[in-house]
Amino acid sequence: MTATAQPLPPTAGALDPNEVVRRIRAALPPGETKAALHEPRFGGNEKAYLADCIDTNWVSYAGGYVKKFEQALAEACGVAHAISVTSGTVALQLAMHMAGVQAGDEVLVPSLTFVASANAIVHAGGVPHFVDADTATLGIDPVALARYLDVTVERRNGESWNKATGRRIAALLPVHIFGHPADMDALNAIAAQYGLAVIEDATESLGSRYKDRPCGSLAPLAVLSFNGNKIVTTGGGGAILTDDAQLADRLRHLTTTAKLPHRWAFIHDEVGWNFRLPNINAALGLAQMERLDVMVAAKRRLWDAYNAAFADFAHGRVFAEAPATKSNHWLVTLILAPGSEDRLDAVLAATNDAGLMTRPIWTPMHQLPMYAENPRAALPVTEDLARRVINLPSSPFLAPA
Ligand SMILES: *Cc1c(COP(=O)(O)O)cnc(C)c1O
């Protein structure tokens, strides 16, 4: 009794931000004294394909790389069709449109996501309705969602209506946060029960797998992003994935000004968009896709290195994806232990001061001014995680050989 009653020295229990700096350094190769959060490297055919676009004059909306890039995406994600577009945000907007989201419809989306998920709902005419996260996946918690819908929804003619707002709830938009797959079987089952369309926001999870199925193949419509900080980049770009040939045709038509094929006449049969990905961007993307497996393997080795470096860390843990899933570890995620929330800013300051770019998770959507009044479930896990999550430098080339 007396031995264990010894008081600890005053600082022994607190998180020392410099310890996080030391542990990150221990995981990174010795030469990498500065590290960005996620940087692309162009070690394959990028220059050759770009030169080919310029030499042949095929830089814009026609040219062979778009088709090849789309085929590579469809193959990697195990779907029949990929339609490449100018950003992940417009891909989400289009997917929502195709899924039947109409003006004034609510779409269920995590509050803990990048702002583009919510913005795209608004761009499609919908109203983001925020639901809580799951500590096991960082994505939507299916148990909390089912409990919430049970008391929130009134069913009419196979549709779901929000009893509080009087609006239809049309769709569910799960996000695989930082590449860690959400529990799609459970979420799809809830969506089926409530007659909701499902759009998979796979913008962060190209190369991730859920029960041996690729992310991007887990809902009738899924979306990818090729922004500069994603695992594969086209400079900027996105894609919609689907097995439905009719949907794919319609998406190609709508994104190219809804123009009917004709040798010279300009005939458009509905209000279309100009959202197609230029050939020059697709050329970059195709070269990147040729190395996707190499990059996913590198990111797993980097995650292993972080696991080793933080193995005996008393104040947090490196997030491990849920059982039966394989994250692409787009951003390796450190979660501070409960009680260490007040050290978050100190850790972010110390690591960034040391040239190691770390970032907190996004400000939850319901805490942003434009979404403060939106409908939402109770969000205790979201608000808790938002104070404890730190993303670590995650570029694939930081991995040990
Ligand atoms: C990157 C991202 C998007 C949008 O992608 P952009 O290509 O930047 O428009 C959407 N949702 C999430 C979760 C993302 O991380």
Side-chain angles (χ1 to χ4, degrees):
M1 281 303 258
T2 47
T4 54
Q6 291 287 329
L8 290 166
T11 57
L15 192 173
D16 172 8
N18 291 312
E19 186 187 343
V20 177
V21 172
R22 284 194 297 276
R23 286 179 188 268
I24 293 174
R25 287 218 185 286
L28 300 184
E32 304 282 352
T33 51
K34 290 198 178 303
L37 192 65
H38 197 284
E39 262 186 308
R41 281 274 162 102
F42 303 109
N45 287 320
E46 286 88 348
K47 275 190 181 168
Y49 293 169
L50 288 173
D52 183 40
C53 290
I54 292 166
D55 292 345
T56 58
N57 241 0
W58 288 105
V59 297
S60 192
Y61 297 111
Y65 286 107
V66 171
K67 193 165 197 122
K68 284 185 193 154
F69 179 51
E70 290 179 341
Q71 279 167 352
L73 295 173
E75 196 177 312
C77 295
V79 296
H81 308 279
I83 300 91
S84 57
V85 293
T86 49
S87 76
T89 306
V90 301
L92 282 169
Q93 178 192 338
L94 283 161
M96 230 102 51
H97 181 71
M98 298 315 289
V101 173
Q102 291 172 13
D105 281 345
E106 294 181 5
V107 177
L108 301 162
V109 62
S111 178
L112 205 63
T113 185
F114 179 56
V115 71
S117 313
N119 289 348
I121 295 169
V122 176
H123 296 324
V127 178
H129 182 155
F130 300 115
V131 294
D132 207 11
D134 185 344
T135 51
T137 64
L138 308 184
I140 295 176
D141 180 344
V143 176
L145 179 68
R147 220 184 291 129
Y148 176 66
L149 291 180
D150 187 44
V151 296
T152 305
V153 163
E154 183 187 330
R155 304 275 289 146
R156 267 187 256 150
N157 308 326
E159 294 183 328
S160 286
W161 292 77
N162 184 333
K163 284 193 265 189
T165 63
R167 287 189 290 249
R168 185 169 80 123
I169 302 179
L172 174 68
L173 180 61
V175 187
H176 307 302
I177 304 293
F178 308 139
H180 316 311
D183 189 356
M184 289 301 293
D185 282 353
L187 294 172
N188 278 323
I190 294 167
Q193 185 191 339
Y194 283 91
L196 307 175
V198 182
I199 301 116
E200 189 188 351
D201 184 338
T203 49
E204 303 182 354
S205 58
L206 179 56
S208 299
R209 298 181 80 81
Y210 174 83
K211 300 183 182 176
D212 245 354
R213 288 175 282 155
C215 285
S217 71
L218 305 170
L221 285 157
V223 168
L224 300 173
S225 164
F226 313 113
N227 200 347
N229 67 354
K230 298 282 158 68
I231 189 163
V232 159
T233 186
T234 59
I240 303 148
L241 307 172
T242 184
D243 277 329
D244 185 326
Q246 257 179 312
L247 268 184
D249 283 348
R250 209 167 131 59
L251 277 164
R252 288 208 168 84
H253 183 60
L254 275 177
T255 51
T256 45
T257 67
K259 184 178 180 297
L260 299 179
H262 190 282
R263 282 181 65 199
W264 49 74
F266 293 100
I267 303 166
H268 309 261
D269 62 351
E270 56 188 310
V271 181
W273 282 285
N274 173 20
F275 277 167
R276 293 310 307 281
L277 188 72
N279 199 47
I280 198 159
N281 299 85
L284 194 62
L286 178 64
Q288 295 256 291
M289 283 304 289
E290 290 168 352
R291 301 178 60 250
L292 177 64
D293 291 347
V294 173
M295 288 195 280
V296 170
K299 286 170 89 55
R300 188 152 285 271
R301 291 199 306 279
L302 179 60
W303 177 67
D304 283 339
Y306 277 125
N307 272 324
F310 282 91
D312 57 349
F313 183 49
H315 304 286
R317 64 191 165 89
V318 173
F319 181 81
E321 69 269 59
T325 73
K326 250 182 177 333
S327 177
N328 67 3
H329 293 290
W330 172 54
L331 293 184
V332 179
T333 307
L334 178 70
I335 304 190
L336 299 183
S340 295
E341 300 76 5
D342 61 335
R343 309 301 283 160
L344 177 71
D345 284 345
V347 171
L348 291 166
T351 46
N352 283 285
D353 285 351
L356 302 170
M357 190 166 161
T358 57
R359 286 291 180 264
I361 199 167
W362 314 282
T363 301
M365 295 302 103
H366 68 287
Q367 294 173 355
L368 297 176
M370 64 284 195
Y371 295 129
E373 305 299 323
N374 278 53
R376 63 184 203 230
L379 301 166
V381 177
T382 297
E383 291 181 357
D384 172 43
L385 284 172
R387 292 179 291 143
R388 295 199 286 125
V389 165
I390 298 177
N391 286 313
L392 306 179
S394 300
S395 304
F397 58 84
L398 295 173

